[in-house]
Amino acid sequence: MKINEIGEFGLIGRIADAFKPLIPNGWEGIGDDCAMIPWSDNRSLLVTTDLLVENVHFLRNRISAYELGLKSLAVNLSDVAAMGGEPVATFLSLGLPSDTVTTEWSDAFFEGYRSFGVPLLGGDTTSSREGIVINITVLGQAKNSHIKRRSAAQAGDWIAVTGPLGDSAGGLQALLQSLPPEADTSELVRRHHRPRPHLAEGRWLGGRAEVHAMMDVSDGVASDLQHILRASSLAATVSVPELPITPLLQRVAAQYGWDAARMALTGGEDYVLLLTVSDAGLEKLQAAYTARFGSPLHLIGRCENGPSGTIRYLGSEAQFTGFKHF
Ligand code: ADP
Ligand code: MG
């Protein structure tokens, strides 16, 4: 059978089954944004890794070296934020076509990488015949009582996100269509290239008992929410008119005939946090969150009992599926 017949998550499922017997008691491995390893009586080490491949995840002549260094680390830091943790250290492995990559390029890459102020403790470097390959591992830590798992959503929970959806997809679309770099399209491209991992939000939300499940939005809410729902054996409704879509994306979408709601749900790479919140605790949480961060959590739907992983989209004729790697 070819891998694309079982899909990315079919393959990951087979790997998880094969290694389950080797995972020590109290450790948690495949299935969440980070692995969790008990560290002390009340803390865990968090570990996450991501791979970025030239021409799959980025086009070298469209993203600056600075932005590539920044984004490569940002997507990993976002997974630590998603657990309610804080980053401690990073490791970086690079495959570089050494005949075309310059020291100016690598200096700028490391400047972007350094911009988060998290130490780099090691890695590996090799030549590559197939373009630039970047693998980053981030170690983080969190109090056990603050860790938020994908599996903790409950029926009746509100579904929320910590920031707007779709801008990154708009930036990618602007790049793919080679749109003229006007102020609006340039800003969307900037957001696509410079995601901000929601570390402060994640740490804060980790400390709140009203928050049940949490993850980050890398593939788009349409597929990422399914992960929470499957892990929690729940279904959900999502209200399409409630999706936080920026006026910026709305303007550009209207200009070029894009479907902004579809971009918001399926585009991915927004790296905001997706969380579920108990109905009873919502009001208190919302007030405290707004006081702390100056803007509210965006409520986009509710969890409910029903066929595991199914999402009904309200206020839209279309239904949506998320980004698939293969
Ligand atoms: P994220 O986008 O949060 O990094 P992914 O969707 O990439 O998560 O992966 C989902 C889960 O599967 C994670 O727990 C990740 O560690 C695990 N995973 C992905 N690929 C592999 C692999 N090749 N081997 C083992 N675990 C994997
Ligand atoms: Mg993630």
Side-chain angles (χ1 to χ4, degrees), residues 33 78-79 82 150 215-218:
D33 294 282
S78 179
D79 280 321
R150 295 178 180 183
M215 69 179 296
D216 68 326
V217 178
S218 52

Side-chain angles (χ1 to χ4, degrees), residues 129-149:
R129 286 183 221 155
E130 298 293 338
I132 299 170
V133 179
I134 303 161
N135 174 236
I136 295 173
T137 301
V138 174
L139 307 182
Q141 60 112 13
K143 260 191 183 168
N144 292 333
S145 57
H146 287 195
I147 292 178
K148 301 298 180 188
R149 292 169 177 76

Side-chain angles (χ1 to χ4, degrees), residues 107-191:
D107 286 351
F109 177 91
F110 283 104
E111 201 188 327
Y113 192 105
R114 253 198 334 262
S115 65
F116 294 105
V118 186
L120 172 61
L121 291 188
D124 196 14
T125 308
T126 172
S127 65
S128 164
R129 286 183 221 155
E130 298 293 338
I132 299 170
V133 179
I134 303 161
N135 174 236
I136 295 173
T137 301
V138 174
L139 307 182
Q141 60 112 13
K143 260 191 183 168
N144 292 333
S145 57
H146 287 195
I147 292 178
K148 301 298 180 188
R149 292 169 177 76
R150 295 178 180 183
S151 56
Q154 295 178 18
D157 279 0
W158 289 88
I159 299 164
V161 287
T162 55
L165 301 169
D167 282 351
S168 179
L172 176 61
Q173 194 57 36
L175 286 173
L176 294 176
Q177 287 182 225
S178 299
L179 295 183
E182 291 154 356
D184 279 357
T185 47
S186 298
E187 178 57 23
L188 287 177
V189 170
R190 211 184 71 85
R191 292 180 190 189

